[in-house]
Amino acid sequence: MFFTDLGGSAAMLRLRELDDDALKDIGLARSEIEAAAFGRVHTYSRGRRS
């Protein structure tokens, strides 16, 4: 559990460094960073189409 949390925290810090355009390019909104870092966001369920 500790290593999982540490990994998520590191991912969250890296994602927060990105600007809004970069986040959009990878399919995330700024409000989704924490959920994405800890594996709780599924882009397929957000209704986006390629």
Side-chain angles (χ1 to χ4, degrees), residues 4-45:
T4 303
D5 290 345
L6 184 63
S9 295
M12 195 166 50
L13 290 173
R14 296 295 296 263
L15 288 168
R16 285 182 176 161
E17 292 175 353
L18 299 175
D19 64 22
D20 290 337
D21 288 330
L23 288 170
K24 183 178 178 183
D25 287 346
I26 61 172
L28 287 176
R30 189 156 301 280
S31 61
E32 298 172 309
I33 288 176
E34 184 175 351
F38 292 97
R40 296 187 302 255
V41 167
H42 301 286
T43 56
Y44 63 83
S45 66

